[in-house]
Amino acid sequence: MIGDIYQRVTRSSVNVLAFFSHSAYVASFEPRDVSHALSDPNWVNAMHEELENFERNHVWDLVEPPPNCHPIGTKWVFKNKQGEDGMVVRNKARLVAQGFCQKEGIDYEETFAPVARLEAIRILLAFTASKGFKLQQMDVKSAFLNGFIEEEVYVRQPPGFESARFLDRVYKLRKALYGLKQAPRAWYARLKSFLLKSSIEPTTIDHALSDPD
């Protein structure tokens, strides 16, 4: 990795500097490619944050490529997050797999993951409003990185963050990566397992919605 991942200055670690300039924490441009992103420390921080998520979720292991290994490529996707006033509030760098290189039966099996029907969501909102209930929602950060995969999948090292000592090595995935064809299904399986253990059962009308037991 570029620099020491534990020595970088994050947007949350030096709040005392916020008094001077908001722009010190974010870049206003979206990089054309990874070399463009590496020219700005804010985008380098954003990429480090993404790789820290990988380490925290134990997404992969750096290994020697097995015989006849054809690792899937990876690429960076850069996006500026804007606030209500249109100002850039966060630089988001996401490392994704080039899933179009995957071969069915080798890199993945099933890909289907159920999604709640729009009609069901409308009924839920109408019922909540009529009963005066409080409806809450949550967002899972880097959701797909929590889904376990069953297939043996290898990906190339992140562009710009290749290991200087092990340039010939590849990453063996433990969990799903954004861009993989089986990523949505893997995340749904993990979420479903958690909900079932919490005594929540799927409805018979829409399996992507759940009822408390």
Side-chain angles (χ1 to χ4, degrees), residues 80-114:
N80 280 332
K81 302 290 185 179
Q82 298 179 339
E84 295 180 356
D85 56 359
M87 296 290 292
V88 177
V89 296
R90 185 185 179 198
N91 302 135
K92 175 63 179 177
R94 173 157 284 164
L95 183 70
V96 303
Q98 296 175 322
F100 58 85
C101 297
Q102 290 183 271
K103 295 182 179 180
E104 186 174 1
I106 299 177
D107 299 310
Y108 70 95
E109 297 295 339
E110 297 183 78
T111 62
F112 174 76

Side-chain angles (χ1 to χ4, degrees), residues 89-213:
V89 296
R90 185 185 179 198
N91 302 135
K92 175 63 179 177
R94 173 157 284 164
L95 183 70
V96 303
Q98 296 175 322
F100 58 85
C101 297
Q102 290 183 271
K103 295 182 179 180
E104 186 174 1
I106 299 177
D107 299 310
Y108 70 95
E109 297 295 339
E110 297 183 78
T111 62
F112 174 76
V115 178
R117 296 174 58 188
L118 184 58
E119 294 88 345
I121 296 177
R122 287 173 173 169
I123 293 174
L124 172 64
L125 294 175
F127 182 78
T128 301
S130 66
K131 297 296 184 180
F133 293 160
K134 180 183 291 186
L135 193 63
Q136 296 180 324
Q137 67 176 18
M138 63 174 288
D139 178 50
V140 179
K141 187 176 182 180
S142 301
F144 282 8
L145 301 184
N146 292 279
F148 293 100
I149 59 174
E150 300 176 356
E151 300 83 5
E152 193 169 284
V153 180
Y154 298 88
V155 298
R156 300 186 188 279
Q157 297 185 45
F161 291 82
E162 295 87 351
S163 171
R165 294 177 56 197
F166 305 108
L167 286 174
D168 59 333
R169 295 194 178 186
V170 296
Y171 278 106
K172 181 180 180 181
L173 294 183
R174 295 183 181 182
K175 296 182 179 179
L177 207 62
Y178 282 90
L180 289 181
K181 293 184 180 297
Q182 65 265 50
R185 184 177 181 84
W187 160 240
Y188 176 78
R190 183 74 186 275
L191 177 61
K192 178 182 178 181
S193 175
F194 172 79
L195 293 176
L196 291 176
K197 289 180 181 178
S198 302
S199 301
I200 298 177
E201 297 290 339
T203 66
T204 57
I205 299 175
D206 191 337
H207 292 288
L209 294 180
S210 302
D211 265 339
D213 188 359

